[in-house]
Each structure stands twice: as C-alpha cells, then as structure tokens.
Amino acid sequence: QVQLVESGGGLVQAGGSLRLSCAASGRTFASYSANMGWFRQAPGKERELVAGIKWSGGSPYYADSVKNRFTISRDNAKKYVYLQMNSLKPEDTAIYYCAAGPVGTYIYWGQGTQVTVSS
C-alpha cells in the first residue's frame, strides 16, 4: 500500500500563490509509485489531471489550463511531491488530490485539500 497525505490548501485572492505538498509513504512505494500527480475536482465537474511527474525523471505533464502558472516537483529522498501554484484564478478553485500509481495509471489517492481562489 501507498499512503498519500496532502497539505497546503487554503483561501487566496486571485493572482496569489499557494504551494501544495504531498507526503508519500508505504512499504511498496517504490514499486507502485512510478507516476505521481495532482488532480483537482471542482463542484459539478469531473476530476482532472493538473500535473504529473515520474520519480525516474523526464518532462512533467501539465494541463493546458495551468501551463506556465503551476510547477510540479518532487523530492525523491523525502518522498514528497509539490505543486507550486502561481497567478491563481477563481477557476482554479477545487479540491486538489495527490495521486500515485504504476506506469500509466493512478491507483492511490490522498484525502484531498481544498483550494479556494477569491475574485
């Protein structure tokens, strides 16, 4: 099993910044966490992948809506994944989830952290 715990959400004004953190742990972490990502789900909308990164390296993935504003990064030694969110917009308001899984999929999820951007 892999356990994921998010932190760092909150209320911010439009144009502001937040940094989300995801602490990963678990005995089988290395085998089942090739992919790490941040998803979000706004009320009445489907959950969407915002940014993804591989523990082994390579170019991160970003949804078009967050390119040049959000940055995903990882600390392999500490087993943390971060999402730096800049120039936040009201439409970024959502519950943000950390996720992990083998190559090509996400099967482990955190409990989510609320991000609210006021206009």
Side-chain angles (χ1 to χ4, degrees):
Q1 287 290 331
V2 174
Q3 293 80 42
L4 303 171
V5 179
E6 304 100 332
S7 61
L11 173 64
V12 65
Q13 288 188 333
S17 298
L18 282 174
R19 187 194 195 203
L20 304 183
S21 299
C22 174
S25 62
R27 193 165 62 92
T28 58
F29 174 79
S31 300
Y32 290 93
S33 303
N35 283 338
M36 297 291 295
W38 287 95
F39 287 73
R40 69 184 180 188
Q41 188 166 21
K45 295 188 177 181
E46 294 185 355
R47 190 173 296 189
E48 63 171 341
L49 176 62
V50 173
I53 193 168
K54 295 179 181 178
W55 285 112
S56 61
S59 298
Y61 163 84
Y62 295 100
D64 287 343
S65 58
V66 306
K67 280 182 180 177
N68 301 316
R69 298 190 300 122
F70 290 11
T71 302
I72 189 170
S73 61
R74 68 190 190 277
D75 184 326
N76 288 11
K78 296 181 179 179
K79 295 181 182 178
Y80 267 81
V81 177
Y82 305 98
L83 186 68
Q84 178 67 41
M85 305 186 295
N86 299 328
S87 303
L88 283 162
K89 305 175 181 180
E91 51 263 43
D92 293 319
T93 295
I95 300 174
Y96 283 71
Y97 298 89
C98 180
V103 174
T105 187
Y106 295 93
I107 60 174
Y108 299 104
W109 297 86
Q111 81 286 356
T113 184
Q114 177 71 47
V115 172
T116 303
V117 184
S118 63
S119 59

